[in-house]
DNA sequence: GTCTATACAACGATAGAC
DNA sequence: GTCTATCGTTGTATAGAC
């Protein structure tokens, strides 16, 4: 059951929801049909569990960099530049282009929550930067947070399109350079 | 045959490649099996034609704003703020999360070319801005271009996750605000 | 060129034995 | 709890008539 969830996480990351069949999940988890349908009502419920798990992992991983010490720009830069499997894309963000996920509120909800949390967390850090004078009063925390999150998500898209991590890294460096008081 | 390509464009946009069946294409195009398989060898070849078409349309639409008159920031802002069907996502960018598209070089190529073109075009404009003194010498054109393209692609992802255009608009405004000499 | 018929695998789930 | 059998549907394509 633990293996079922983990295998589903992997397959959703790699192939999306539409592209993942119950049979493929069973094979990856080394479980039979009966086992899967005993623990879950079907593909959708299992996917929901897997997406929630991946969302929680994403939040934890982000918090690792974002809760560190240092200036706002330092923490944001740490977050942007941490090691990522860029060419695999974002396991949460990619589900956003899956029609059956978007059509099912149960499946979309954990995705919504994950990004809503991320933007709020980034906005907090930007707001801190404003309070201690690191950032000018003209900087809007919610806007800037959305921009940061978007550069990452868009960076994945550009990198996969190119078959190379380069566009991702360019986009991140470009953003860091645009942040006020950039270290360069 | 024209209808087949157009219907495929729509379905790829909405459901992706894995999620689109030949039968669905035929229904949408009001064409029979025989017709489709007479003009194309199969789903892949038809998809290739549709993706190329969509890529060309994306380039034309971008050029509408990017080739205008005005400062670099004005043209980039025009491009970022033009009307878009945000919640439908980017018809090219979304294919980037489709495993069967990424696995087939024939299908990935037009996607790669489209974004490579876009980043180069944006980099030209940033470089122009540097030459005429609008932007400081420290601004890297390729980096900044990648950042701009990424904000759009990521903006789509965040908006679809939220079920609202708001995150897209926040991300765009945030970026415009970060650009040197922002009008704001 | 377009139609209908046919093929065969995969999808997603259920049933009933153990 | 897990296994095997079965089911009806859809996916993707080919064949051959018109």
């Amino acid at each position: 059951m633990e293996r079922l969830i983990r295998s589903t996480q992997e397959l959703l990351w790699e192939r999306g929801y539409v592209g993942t069949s119950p049979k493929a999940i069973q094979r990856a988890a080394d479980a039979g049909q009966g086992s899967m349908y005993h623990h879950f009502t079907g593909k959708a419920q299992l996917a929901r569990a897997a997406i929630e798990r991946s969302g929680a992992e994403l939040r934890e991983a982000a918090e690792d960099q974002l809760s560190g010490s240092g200036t706002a720009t330092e923490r944001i830069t740490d977050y942007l530049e941490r090691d990522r499997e860029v060419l695999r894309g974002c396991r949460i963000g990619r589900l956003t282009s899956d029609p059956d996920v978007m059509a099912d509120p149960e499946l979309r909800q954990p995705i919504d929550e994950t990004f809503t949390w991320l933007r709020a967390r980034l906005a907090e850090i930007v707001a801190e930067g404003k309070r201690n004078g690191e950032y000018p009063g003209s900087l809007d925390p919610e806007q800037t947070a959305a921009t940061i999150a978007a550069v990452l998500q868009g960076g994945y898209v550009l990198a996969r399109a190119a078959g190379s991590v380069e566009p991702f890294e360019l986009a991140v460096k470009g953003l860091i350079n645009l942040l006020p008081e950039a270290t360069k």
Side-chain angles (χ1 to χ4, degrees), chain A:
Chain A
M1 168 161 180
E2 184 58 23
R3 285 205 315 281
L4 280 167
I5 294 179
R6 270 208 252 279
S7 297
T8 304
Q9 284 183 277
E10 286 300 309
L11 284 165
L12 287 182
W13 192 1
E14 195 173 330
R15 302 201 42 88
Y17 183 77
V18 175
T20 297
S21 69
K23 186 159 290 187
I25 293 171
Q26 293 151 23
R27 191 167 352 99
D30 198 26
Q33 307 251 56
S35 177
M36 176 183 144
Y37 283 102
H38 174 75
H39 292 294
F40 300 92
T41 62
K43 176 180 165 179
Q45 200 193 57
L46 176 48
R48 161 92 188 199
I51 296 171
E52 280 174 350
R53 179 79 69 89
S54 291
E57 287 170 2
L58 185 149
R59 292 195 289 277
E60 275 178 50
E63 198 62 14
D64 275 355
Q65 281 85 44
L66 296 180
S67 69
S69 60
T71 66
T73 293
E74 279 168 1
R75 286 186 282 158
I76 291 169
T77 301
D78 274 2
Y79 173 59
L80 287 169
E81 292 186 335
R82 88 145 180 255
D83 260 357
R84 292 164 192 276
E85 299 181 72
V86 173
L87 287 181
R88 295 188 72 186
C90 174
R91 50 182 102 187
I92 301 297
R94 69 144 300 150
L95 295 173
T96 251
S97 61
D98 202 302
D100 291 3
V101 169
M102 297 307 284
D104 182 344
E106 296 284 305
L107 295 178
R108 192 172 64 76
Q109 187 188 359
I111 300 171
D112 185 1
E113 284 173 5
T114 299
F115 285 125
T116 296
W117 173 87
L118 178 63
R119 290 192 287 120
R121 189 70 186 88
L122 288 167
E124 265 177 43
I125 292 172
V126 173
E128 278 175 46
K130 284 179 69 173
R131 276 201 299 281
N132 65 29
E134 184 181 354
Y135 293 144
S138 62
L139 205 65
D140 181 281
E142 278 73 33
Q143 285 179 11
T144 309
T147 303
I148 295 167
V151 165
L152 285 177
Q153 292 300 315
Y156 285 123
V157 170
L158 298 178
R160 283 174 62 88
S164 154
V165 300
E166 200 198 3
F168 182 95
E169 291 174 347
L170 286 171
V172 163
K173 285 196 188 112
L175 174 61
I176 292 172
N177 232 312
L178 289 175
L179 289 175
E181 246 121 307
T183 318
K184 169 57 205 272

